Amino acid sequence: MKLGDSIIAATALALGAELVTRNVDDFKHIAGLPVINPFEGR
């Protein structure tokens, strides 16, 4: 995982926020991090 992605994930976890990204594969392995792809199902 790249440093930028780590910072984004850590911020979302610290805030209890959902992470909205098209790049769900980079974040799906992080436990407790809800990841949403806004383009899914189109």
Side-chain angles (χ1 to χ4, degrees):
M1 174 174 265
K2 294 182 180 181
L3 178 61
D5 289 344
S6 298
I7 293 170
I8 291 167
T11 302
L13 285 169
L15 296 174
E18 298 172 333
L19 179 60
V20 180
T21 181
R22 290 181 73 179
N23 193 10
V24 287
D25 288 338
D26 283 355
F27 298 98
K28 67 181 178 184
H29 68 278
I30 301 174
L33 179 63
V35 181
I36 298 171
N37 181 349
F39 296 96
E40 191 173 83
R42 287 188 175 201

